[in-house]
Amino acid sequence: MREGCGINFDGDVQPAFLDVAEQFRRLFRRPGSGGGALTVLLDGEPVVDVWAGTRDLDGDEPWQRDTMALSFSTTKGVAATVLHRLADRGLLDVHAPVAEYWPAFAANGKQDVTVTDLLTHRAGLHDVRHLVNRPTDVLDHHLMEELLAAAAPSMTPGRHSAYHGFTFGWLASGLARAVTGQDMRDLFRTELAEPLGLDGLHLGVAEDDEATDARVAALHDHGLGLASLLGSRLSLVPAVGRVADALYVEDFDQLLAEPARPAVHAQMPAVNGCFTARSLATLYATLANGGSLHGVRLLDAATVQRAVRRVVKDRDAVLGIRMHWRLGYHQAFTATGASRTAFGHYGYGGSGAWADPMSGLAVAFVTNRLGSGTTPIADSRLLRLNGRIHEAVGRLAA
């Protein structure tokens, strides 16, 4: 273990990436800064694999090699990869209507909504705020799938993307259940974690799985700013209202704060993935390398190419920016610009993972500390780390 300014800091770094590791270490240099982990794989090989800080609220328990973090919307990219596995085996056609597999979904004029519409946030079902009757509804994934199957779109499906902040996950799990009969939690394990030998890729944690639950870091600063903003009178402003519809569930931050951690134990496939950086980066490394890594083929190369091809180029109606949606992924942004070929998914609170087939890069960052300036998709910490990573790869190339 190495020490940096008295803060737990450990792992391995290749010399060309020392600046990246130093940028990461600074994030957790003060007591009370929480903790996190960063893994960077280049052509499937680790060049950065570090962790720092603490995993508990009191700052007494060091972050460990196998510590996991609740990673919010970073979960969406993993859920999308499950659907691509099903498509790869011929169980799904991304161009087919969702109702072809999930007949109940045809209700209220949704019979023509395609799997592609679902994966690109164009199903018109972004509104979670008016879908639930009580905050605890979101803890029941079967109920949420049923509510979405019966719901009427609030926007014309297939026309414009409107970030499905909460609902994307239950739409994905409802579709996957219709095809396989299995929970998305089980599919995370059987379709992704087991084939790749990953021990840190979970959709929440079952209440009776005490050993895995103990690996999930306590969350610092739950509900930081965004929840109170979206629940305020500002939500009456149309642009803010769309964000609130997609991302605000009253008292959801209290579910995150409860000592029993119901939000960790539920199945919310757009929200409550529990990951190590190493496992996330390994998953994305398969996508950066044509669907195969170290002799294990997860997806056919043609499936990967279809999954990561940009589909939506216009401004997202919820987020207000061009997300360049792929099938379940968005463009990977950095502090030094965006690579046209890099894709992945970032999450509220700062986490994120992405891959770039052009450079062979796969990157994952997880943390239990919500950053200042947190947005629905990550914050400046991940963007700055990404910038340093690109600089390091550039130096190698030069």
Side-chain angles (χ1 to χ4, degrees):
M1 181 179 291
R2 293 186 290 273
E3 297 293 329
C5 299
I7 297 300
N8 169 55
F9 175 61
D10 207 344
D12 297 293
V13 186
Q14 294 296 314
F17 291 83
L18 287 173
D19 285 352
V20 175
E22 176 58 21
Q23 176 76 29
F24 168 80
R25 185 193 66 79
R26 288 196 204 111
L27 299 177
F28 308 105
R29 66 184 183 273
R30 295 189 181 92
S33 295
L38 173 70
T39 300
V40 182
L41 304 180
L42 183 60
D43 296 325
E45 299 301 324
V47 293
V48 178
D49 188 21
V50 291
W51 54 95
T54 54
R55 43 154 294 136
D56 65 320
L57 293 178
D58 294 329
D60 297 327
E61 300 176 16
W63 198 278
Q64 303 291 342
R65 181 182 179 87
D66 67 346
T67 299
M68 296 188 293
L70 186 66
S71 297
F72 296 97
S73 287
T74 302
T75 313
K76 293 182 176 72
V78 182
T81 307
V82 168
L83 294 186
H84 292 305
R85 276 274 285 183
L86 301 181
D88 199 62
R89 296 209 303 276
L91 299 176
L92 279 179
D93 178 352
V94 297
H95 303 297
V98 173
E100 181 175 313
Y101 308 102
W102 186 6
F105 186 80
N108 277 307
K110 302 193 299 298
Q111 65 276 359
D112 295 326
V113 175
T114 66
V115 177
T116 291
D117 292 333
L118 187 157
L119 286 167
T120 54
H121 302 266
R122 294 183 297 173
L125 295 168
H126 65 281
D127 188 352
V128 68
R129 182 165 55 152
H130 300 102
L131 186 69
V132 300
N133 293 316
R134 58 190 67 83
T136 52
D137 285 350
V138 300
L139 303 177
D140 184 341
H141 56 285
H142 291 286
L143 171 65
M144 296 307 298
E145 290 170 16
E146 292 169 4
L147 290 174
L148 284 165
S154 56
M155 294 178 61
T156 303
R159 184 170 297 176
H160 299 291
S161 71
Y163 185 49
H164 290 37
F166 272 85
T167 59
F168 178 95
W170 297 302
L171 290 168
S173 65
L175 175 58
R177 185 187 311 285
V179 172
T180 68
Q182 294 180 270
D183 281 355
M184 186 63 87
R185 173 176 290 163
D186 294 329
L187 294 172
F188 268 41
R189 184 184 71 255
T190 59
E191 297 295 330
L192 305 178
E194 289 179 353
L196 292 172
L198 306 177
D199 69 348
L201 200 79
H202 298 267
L203 177 58
V205 178
E207 286 188 74
D208 59 357
D209 188 353
E210 296 180 4
T212 305
D213 188 37
R215 294 171 52 200
V216 181
L219 186 66
H220 284 247
D221 289 345
H222 45 271
L224 182 68
L226 186 62
S228 58
L229 174 66
L230 296 181
S232 71
R233 288 190 176 184
L234 280 176
S235 66
L236 298 176
V237 178
V240 179
R242 284 194 296 272
V243 180
D245 289 345
L247 298 170
Y248 180 70
V249 173
E250 186 177 2
D251 291 333
F252 180 70
D253 56 329
Q254 297 306 309
L255 295 178
L256 293 173
E258 282 190 25
R261 305 211 290 186
V264 170
H265 298 141
Q267 293 190 47
M268 296 181 278
V271 177
N272 77 328
C274 297
F275 308 130
T276 64
R278 187 178 303 102
S279 288
L280 263 182
T282 301
L283 175 64
Y284 274 90
T286 66
L287 302 180
N289 290 276
S292 178
L293 186 68
H294 302 318
V296 177
R297 178 156 292 282
L298 193 73
L299 294 170
D300 185 79
T303 301
V304 176
Q305 290 175 0
R306 179 184 63 205
V308 305
R309 187 178 300 124
R310 185 172 55 178
V311 177
V312 179
K313 303 176 183 179
D314 57 353
R315 192 179 304 275
D316 187 270
V318 167
L319 298 175
I321 60 175
R322 297 182 191 277
M323 294 297 296
H324 300 281
W325 292 112
R326 280 75 169 160
L327 297 184
Y329 315 101
H330 59 71
Q331 187 163 323
F333 305 104
T334 81
T336 55
S339 167
R340 293 179 61 85
T341 58
F343 64 91
H345 216 296
Y346 301 170
Y348 174 72
S351 69
W354 56 273
D356 188 351
M358 186 67 70
S359 63
L361 269 174
V363 176
F365 170 64
V366 300
T367 179
N368 66 339
R369 179 79 181 195
L370 304 192
S372 57
T374 288
T375 72
I377 49 167
D379 60 32
S380 61
R381 292 175 297 172
L382 179 57
L383 302 186
R384 292 197 303 270
L385 286 168
N386 289 344
R388 290 294 180 94
I389 291 164
H390 276 295
E391 291 170 359
V393 172
R395 288 194 296 270
L396 279 178

